Amino acid sequence: MANKIIPDEYIPYEGSKTVTIDGKDYLVANDAMYTFYERTKGEFSPFFKAIRDEKKILGCRCTTCGLVRIPPMVTHCPDCDFAPTELVEVGQVGRMNSTPPITYFATSLFLHMAPFGRGRVILNGADTAMSVNVYTSTGILVPGLVKKGTEVKMVFKDERIGEASDFFCIPTSELTQEQIARDGLLESEIDWQASVEPELPKASGEDVARFRETFGELQTLAAEMNASESTRRAVEGWKRDIAVKSTGGEFAMIIDNGDFRVEERRLESPDFVMVCEDLKVLLDGLAYRGAITDSVIMKRLWISKNFEFNTIFKLDRMARFLAKSRKV
Ligand SMILES: [Zn+2]
């Protein structure tokens, strides 16, 4: 069990600071108050135990009308004069009952999971829908990828503790027939690198010239960012090698603990790939003329890994910090 209830990064250091209010100095020190508690899953225990120990999804079937509800939230059917229900296993493939809204801007508690879709799935063998998080292995989760009626498969985390966060769904179109057919599919069995890069149009001489010009502007901007103390703070402790591909050329964008550079070279093994048909989209974002996060959501800029949306946040932050520092 590696994860703690309170992540280490949320625990403040010992220390104090001086706060001045109405001309008077006050000393403020970090302190803590602990409250831990245990919470029972009660009658949901078999459902969560089956997920944790057997990678199975249980529902409850009414012994009279046969309706299968998931999760098994009733022990007696309210429609059949409270006839008892029995636990049954349901399928791990189903269809989305609604188009899941996508959360890009999550609170700090869910930031590590974003972007994610949250929708309701009707699993084969069940009559009611269950809330699930939805992901994709094809790069960034964008609107339209998973819709009402999309067939999805249940995937289980490798480390499970008996919580709703132990499982999620991905579209079956991203899986092999064998994976779709097999129950208890694990997250580590999914090919998360399988994202297919969008194809760029063939570059004309004009495109190449345009790329060269934009790339030059990008280099100038990157140099300015690299020299700005406040901009460097936006990517403190962050390290990413990003391969950027655009019509007319490609280059490396390096974030290295405050350092920020764009270099004309091909990366052998980048942390992720960024594709934008028009390099101006990226330039504008870094120059604080429209957010890069918006360009990703609007599909003007593609990234190869869903969770690298975090890095996109940081790039937007750099742009914002630089714009602010220029005003001072
Ligand atoms: Zn019933």
Side-chain angles (χ1 to χ4, degrees), residues 62 64-66 77 79-80:
C62 170
T64 300
C65 70
C77 182
D79 298 334
C80 299

Side-chain angles (χ1 to χ4, degrees), residues 93-290:
V93 172
R95 284 187 191 278
M96 295 310 295
N97 191 35
S98 56
T99 298
I102 303 171
T103 299
Y104 290 98
F105 307 101
T107 62
S108 59
L109 210 56
F110 299 106
L111 195 63
H112 65 287
M113 293 158 69
F116 57 86
R118 183 84 181 154
R120 288 160 66 75
V121 62
I122 298 182
L123 292 171
N124 293 341
D127 295 300
T128 65
M130 181 171 71
S131 291
V132 282
N133 278 2
V134 184
Y135 287 104
T136 177
S137 59
T138 59
I140 190 87
L141 188 64
V142 287
L145 207 96
V146 181
K147 293 188 284 243
K148 179 178 178 172
T150 300
E151 192 183 63
V152 293
K153 168 87 181 178
M154 195 67 84
V155 181
F156 295 87
K157 295 262 182 75
D158 291 66
E159 302 247 351
R160 296 175 305 283
I161 54 173
E163 289 282 355
S165 54
D166 281 351
F167 59 84
F168 56 89
C169 279
I170 76 168
T172 52
S173 58
E174 299 175 13
L175 300 171
T176 65
Q177 285 304 317
E178 187 273 331
Q179 285 176 319
I180 297 168
R182 179 159 49 87
D183 282 348
L185 187 65
L186 287 173
E187 182 178 11
S188 60
E189 294 175 297
I190 309 284
D191 183 5
W192 294 103
Q193 313 290 333
S195 55
V196 181
E197 275 179 38
E199 259 181 68
L200 289 167
K202 278 249 178 304
S204 64
E206 205 176 304
D207 289 333
V208 175
R210 193 175 143 81
F211 171 84
R212 305 251 23 116
E213 191 190 325
T214 312
F215 181 71
E217 287 178 53
L218 205 58
Q219 269 184 317
T220 308
L221 183 63
E224 191 187 343
M225 284 178 148
N226 210 28
S228 155
E229 273 312 312
S230 63
T231 310
R232 293 178 68 93
R233 261 202 299 282
V235 280
E236 213 166 51
W238 205 252
K239 201 174 163 5
R240 288 290 187 279
D241 291 352
I242 309 160
V244 184
K245 301 181 182 180
S246 186
T247 314
E250 70 170 271
F251 58 94
M253 189 156 72
I254 312 291
I255 302 171
D256 188 2
N257 191 22
D259 274 343
F260 183 66
R261 305 184 302 273
V262 288
E263 294 169 357
E264 197 165 15
R265 63 186 169 96
R266 197 181 285 258
L267 286 167
E268 285 302 319
S269 48
D271 293 306
F272 70 99
V273 180
M274 191 183 272
V275 179
C276 51
E277 205 172 303
D278 183 358
L279 190 55
K280 271 253 185 297
V281 169
L282 179 62
L283 176 70
D284 283 348
L286 288 172
Y288 203 51
R289 297 188 291 261

